mmCIF file of all heavy atoms in Angstrom:
data_model
loop_
_atom_site.group_PDB
_atom_site.id
_atom_site.type_symbol
_atom_site.label_atom_id
_atom_site.label_comp_id
_atom_site.label_asym_id
_atom_site.label_seq_id
_atom_site.Cartn_x
_atom_site.Cartn_y
_atom_site.Cartn_z
ATOM 1 N N CYS A 334 111.202 -0.892 110.641
ATOM 2 C CA CYS A 334 112.314 -0.058 111.127
ATOM 3 C C CYS A 334 113.370 -0.071 110.018
ATOM 4 O O CYS A 334 113.785 -1.159 109.542
ATOM 5 C CB CYS A 334 112.833 -0.580 112.411
ATOM 6 S SG CYS A 334 114.243 0.302 113.023
ATOM 7 N N HIS A 336 116.435 0.854 110.515
ATOM 8 C CA HIS A 336 117.720 0.562 111.085
ATOM 9 C C HIS A 336 117.862 -0.997 111.314
ATOM 10 O O HIS A 336 118.877 -1.543 110.886
ATOM 11 C CB HIS A 336 117.855 1.318 112.474
ATOM 12 C CG HIS A 336 119.204 1.006 113.129
ATOM 13 N ND1 HIS A 336 120.378 1.364 112.613
ATOM 14 C CD2 HIS A 336 119.410 0.366 114.374
ATOM 15 C CE1 HIS A 336 121.341 1.064 113.458
ATOM 16 N NE2 HIS A 336 120.812 0.390 114.452
ATOM 17 N N CYS A 337 116.937 -1.595 111.997
ATOM 18 C CA CYS A 337 117.119 -3.067 112.338
ATOM 19 C C CYS A 337 116.366 -3.914 111.365
ATOM 20 O O CYS A 337 116.579 -5.109 111.292
ATOM 21 C CB CYS A 337 116.772 -3.253 113.751
ATOM 22 S SG CYS A 337 114.976 -3.222 114.185
ATOM 23 N N CYS A 348 111.013 2.116 117.596
ATOM 24 C CA CYS A 348 111.216 0.681 117.383
ATOM 25 C C CYS A 348 111.577 0.060 118.675
ATOM 26 O O CYS A 348 112.539 0.428 119.373
ATOM 27 C CB CYS A 348 112.400 0.535 116.410
ATOM 28 S SG CYS A 348 112.741 -1.162 116.219
ATOM 29 N N TRP A 350 112.694 -2.781 119.139
ATOM 30 C CA TRP A 350 113.866 -3.697 118.957
ATOM 31 C C TRP A 350 115.215 -2.966 119.107
ATOM 32 O O TRP A 350 116.181 -3.509 119.647
ATOM 33 C CB TRP A 350 113.755 -4.412 117.665
ATOM 34 C CG TRP A 350 112.539 -5.202 117.456
ATOM 35 C CD1 TRP A 350 111.310 -4.805 116.998
ATOM 36 C CD2 TRP A 350 112.266 -6.518 117.928
ATOM 37 N NE1 TRP A 350 110.367 -5.762 117.026
ATOM 38 C CE2 TRP A 350 110.923 -6.873 117.655
ATOM 39 C CE3 TRP A 350 113.015 -7.535 118.551
ATOM 40 C CZ2 TRP A 350 110.363 -8.147 117.907
ATOM 41 C CZ3 TRP A 350 112.463 -8.771 118.795
ATOM 42 C CH2 TRP A 350 111.142 -9.093 118.473
ATOM 43 N N CYS A 351 115.309 -1.752 118.517
ATOM 44 C CA CYS A 351 116.526 -1.064 118.511
ATOM 45 C C CYS A 351 116.450 0.391 118.979
ATOM 46 O O CYS A 351 117.420 1.128 118.910
ATOM 47 C CB CYS A 351 117.161 -1.099 117.066
ATOM 48 S SG CYS A 351 116.413 -0.036 115.965
ATOM 49 N N THR A 353 115.237 2.979 117.599
ATOM 50 C CA THR A 353 115.211 4.101 116.674
ATOM 51 C C THR A 353 113.921 4.762 116.577
ATOM 52 O O THR A 353 112.850 4.048 116.566
ATOM 53 C CB THR A 353 115.652 3.450 115.272
ATOM 54 O OG1 THR A 353 116.867 2.875 115.376
ATOM 55 C CG2 THR A 353 115.648 4.527 114.173
HETATM 56 ZN ZN1 ZN B 501 114.555 -1.074 114.871
#
Side-chain angles (χ1 to χ4, degrees):
C334 178
H336 179 65
C337 71
C348 174
W350 300 91
C351 73
T353 300

